[in-house]
Each structure stands twice: as structure tokens, then as C-alpha cells.
Amino acid sequence: DSDGRPKGLLQESAMAPIFALVRPMGLDEVQRNLGLASDQALSYGLTSVTEPGIGEIRMVGNSPLDYHAYQTAVEERLLRVRTTLMPYITVLHPFSDLPDKRVLGLDLGIRTGLGDDMLSVGPVKIVADGSFIGRSAAMHACFHGEADNFGVLLHEPEALRDYIVGAHLAGWTVATHAIGDRAITHVLDAIEHAQSIAPRPDVRHRIEHFALASDADIARAAALGVIPVPQGVFISDFGDGMAAAVDAERRDDIYRVKSLADAGIVLNGSTDSPISDANPLVSLRDMVLRRPSSGEVLGPRECVSVDEAVRAYTHGSAYAVGQEQQKGTLKVGMLADFITLSDDLYEIDPERIADQQVTTTVVGGEIVFGDGA
């Protein structure tokens, strides 16, 4: 405007010039932020988190020193939540001296799985399209009421395939942000191609969001061993806007969860914080009730039981990062991570799940939040 203040909307890659002005933050500021985030996570009863994107200034992350920042925060006891880090795809690079020039990796062959139970390297992150509520997700059919808007692909299908195949060949697990059904198609195509040329039967490639998915998409993901990572909380936060963005016959295909479990996919929990608040109890409630602000249930067939939602946020989320042998269930030999709540989630009305208070959070047998912390 006339005073020099921005008043427009920046979407997708248009944010990069702004990031270039404010990043990288200094290490002291990063440490302080990680300490604050850790405190809030523990107060929410989160004992493990996944950070989807580090090392990249232009898209997600702060600087090439991101892993060092997290490692230092763990060493200084600022970060007290078990953390899995996803390097962004552009951090990886080709190896010109290898026979297969398609391989994309990090020096020394560092890949998914490096680290310990407090800090580990997870999947490599890719962003394939835009957002649902911003109507920039890549769709097969145009957004409702916008005849020319099919969303945005951040990478052409060939480039996306090269990224996924290159990381797959280097031993990485790949986690690709894909919200629209067209983006989901391209990601599944790329994973199928990667598996056809270099089979890895136990790899757990992921699709972050998997927001608009048909029965065929779900069946294909299950057959390929792909793990969709949906966000229950998006139903209450954005459900009405997402429903308005597609034709009526597709509304039951938005952020499906029950159908994933019925297809044999291990259901997991996510909030996509800070897009939505990180409180898992809100997301648990929304997985059970699926009630947006209008009050009309979005996709009634996709509601799950309280037990299914709790298992998703415990065992399922551990499974999604390949750590279900260490955490996610309470039994001898597992990491002693657990919480106590003000009420029993299995006994109260599901409407009250999000109102519960975390009274104690324990990580590795140590009380880190609540009485005795």
C-alpha cells in the first residue's frame, strides 16, 4: 500500500523471496525456539514428534546447520521430546562418481535411520502441490466454482519421479506432501516406478496429507505399502472450507481415515503443526467425530472409534517412522514414554476428549511435565 506494507497474498514458491530475507536465524534463536516448542509439546503429552523439513532456506527449514541445531538442543536439554527430522529433498545431491547417476543422497551415505532414540534422521521430504483451503492443491477436476483452477504442481511429474526414484535408490524413505488427487496420482506413479527398478519391500514411503483420495487411490497406496499421513484436526479447523472447495460427490473423500485402516494401512496421527495446533487431543476428537464448525459430520463413514484413534496416535505414529519396535505401546522392553490424563478417554463422551488435561508426561522413565518434573 502507500505506506509500503504488503497487502497481497503470497502462495507456494512466491514465499521463497520472503524466506530469503528472514532466514537463517541465528543459532541462539533456534535453540530458544526449540526449547519453547519442547515445553509446549510436553505439556500436550507429546513424547515424540516429527519435523517435516530441515536444511532448506527457501522452502522448509532454517539453514544447512539444522541438524547441528537440533543435536545441540538435545545435548543442552532444551529439546526433551524424541525428534525425527526430515531433510528437504533439495539438500540431497547426485553422486557423479557412482555407476547409477540417478542416486540422490548425502555425503558418507547418510540416510533414513541414522541417529538414536532422542534424535534421528527420518524420511526425506518433498512438497508436490499446494494446499486444500488455499485451493492450490493439484486436482484432477477443477475446484468447485472455479472452472480454470486445477491447483498447482510444484514439480512436473518427471521431476517429481526423478526426486523420488533418486532418494529411493540411495536408501531413503520418502515423505511427499500431496493434498490433491492429481498430486497423489503422480506420487504413487513415482513410487511404483521406483519399486519396479529397485524393489525395497520393507520401505515405508509416506504421503503427507493424502487429503482427497478415492477408493482406487487408497487401494493403490495399500498395495504399494505407502503410508498416508492425514490430519484429523483439519476437519474442525478447515472442514467447511474444504467441503466447499469440491463438488458434493467428492466431499466424503476428504481426509479419510477409517477407509485407510479398512484397507490394511496402519493408521497414524498428525496435526501438521503449526498449520494447526499441535494438541493431539483435538485431533483425536476430530478423528472420532469428524465435525467441522458447521456441525455437519464430514464423511460419516470415516469416523473411527476412540480406541482406533488412540492406537493411531501411539503405535501408528511410531510405525510411520519405523520405530514401532521401540515405542508406541506399553510393554516390557519398550521406551518408557507415557502420559496421564485428567479423565479416561474410553469412558467420557467423545465431545470431551479435547477438553482433557495432561497431568503428567514421562519420557524415558523421567517425569518431564507435571507434578515431579
Side-chain angles (χ1 to χ4, degrees), residues 113-135:
L114 178 72
D116 57 23
D117 57 43
M118 278 305 297
L119 186 67
S120 62
V121 177
V124 63
K125 176 69 180 293
I126 306 174
V127 178
D129 68 341
S131 75
F132 209 141
I133 198 67
R135 298 196 174 197

Side-chain angles (χ1 to χ4, degrees), residues 288-335:
V288 174
L289 298 178
R290 294 184 63 85
R291 190 170 297 151
S293 56
S294 66
E296 183 177 352
V297 176
L298 182 60
R301 67 184 182 186
E302 299 302 326
C303 295
V304 298
S305 68
V306 172
D307 187 60
E308 287 172 309
V310 170
R311 182 167 173 78
Y313 248 97
T314 50
H315 168 76
S317 293
Y319 183 91
V321 288
Q323 298 171 4
E324 77 279 6
Q325 300 301 321
Q326 298 175 281
K327 58 190 180 183
T329 52
L330 287 172
K331 62 183 182 181
V332 174
M334 306 290 274
L335 296 171

Side-chain angles (χ1 to χ4, degrees), residues 187-204:
V187 175
L188 292 175
D189 286 347
I191 292 172
E192 185 173 33
H193 180 68
Q195 291 283 31
S196 72
I197 62 176
R200 292 172 57 197
D202 296 327
V203 70
R204 295 176 189 173

Side-chain angles (χ1 to χ4, degrees), residues 45-372:
L46 292 168
T47 60
S48 292
V49 297
T50 297
E51 174 57 55
I54 63 166
E56 163 65 78
I57 296 176
R58 293 167 296 174
M59 180 61 72
V60 288
N62 180 59
S63 83
L65 292 177
D66 280 345
Y67 191 91
H68 165 70
Y70 278 85
Q71 187 174 15
T72 303
V74 170
E75 291 166 349
E76 296 182 357
R77 294 284 293 163
L78 291 167
L79 182 59
R80 295 171 294 150
V81 181
R82 303 188 193 278
T83 303
T84 300
L85 299 175
M86 293 185 184
Y88 195 65
I89 187 63
T90 52
V91 176
L92 275 57
H93 59 81
F95 296 96
S96 58
D97 54 344
L98 293 182
D100 193 334
K101 308 301 182 188
R102 295 171 296 176
V103 174
L104 294 175
L106 295 178
D107 293 340
L108 304 179
I110 292 171
R111 58 174 175 80
T112 303
L114 178 72
D116 57 23
D117 57 43
M118 278 305 297
L119 186 67
S120 62
V121 177
V124 63
K125 176 69 180 293
I126 306 174
V127 178
D129 68 341
S131 75
F132 209 141
I133 198 67
R135 298 196 174 197
S136 58
M139 302 290 210
H140 284 302
C142 62
F143 283 94
H144 182 68
E146 300 182 26
D148 296 322
N149 184 7
F150 292 86
V152 177
L153 282 173
L154 271 65
H155 308 285
E156 291 301 317
E158 296 79 10
L160 179 66
R161 182 195 62 200
D162 290 346
Y163 273 143
I164 290 175
V165 169
H168 176 90
L169 291 173
W172 288 89
T173 300
V174 181
T176 309
H177 163 121
I179 287 182
D181 53 0
R182 181 160 58 108
I184 290 170
T185 294
H186 293 318
V187 175
L188 292 175
D189 286 347
I191 292 172
E192 185 173 33
H193 180 68
Q195 291 283 31
S196 72
I197 62 176
R200 292 172 57 197
D202 296 327
V203 70
R204 295 176 189 173
H205 293 317
R206 301 162 43 138
I207 294 182
E208 310 299 302
H209 307 301
F210 205 72
L212 187 70
S214 66
D215 290 345
D217 294 327
I218 293 174
R220 192 178 178 202
L224 288 170
V226 172
I227 302 175
V229 182
Q231 288 69 42
V233 65
F234 281 7
I235 301 299
S236 61
D237 278 357
F238 312 121
D240 292 329
M242 293 189 296
V246 297
D247 292 337
E249 62 268 19
R250 293 302 311 273
R251 289 173 186 167
D252 286 353
D253 290 343
I254 294 173
Y255 277 101
R256 303 172 71 175
V257 287
K258 179 65 172 176
S259 293
L260 301 181
D262 289 346
I265 295 169
V266 177
L267 191 61
N268 54 83
S270 169
T271 57
D272 204 38
S273 174
I275 302 303
S276 287
D277 189 73
N279 187 347
L281 293 169
V282 178
S283 205
L284 284 169
R285 178 202 65 193
D286 289 350
M287 293 172 73
V288 174
L289 298 178
R290 294 184 63 85
R291 190 170 297 151
S293 56
S294 66
E296 183 177 352
V297 176
L298 182 60
R301 67 184 182 186
E302 299 302 326
C303 295
V304 298
S305 68
V306 172
D307 187 60
E308 287 172 309
V310 170
R311 182 167 173 78
Y313 248 97
T314 50
H315 168 76
S317 293
Y319 183 91
V321 288
Q323 298 171 4
E324 77 279 6
Q325 300 301 321
Q326 298 175 281
K327 58 190 180 183
T329 52
L330 287 172
K331 62 183 182 181
V332 174
M334 306 290 274
L335 296 171
D337 302 345
F338 57 91
I339 66 171
T340 60
L341 294 168
S342 49
D343 281 302
D344 185 342
L345 297 185
Y346 293 86
E347 298 294 332
I348 62 174
D349 189 311
E351 295 274 6
R352 295 180 52 215
I353 290 176
D355 300 327
Q356 301 312 300
Q357 300 297 311
V358 176
T359 53
T360 310
T361 302
V362 177
V363 177
E366 177 187 355
I367 298 175
V368 288
F369 173 79
D371 293 340

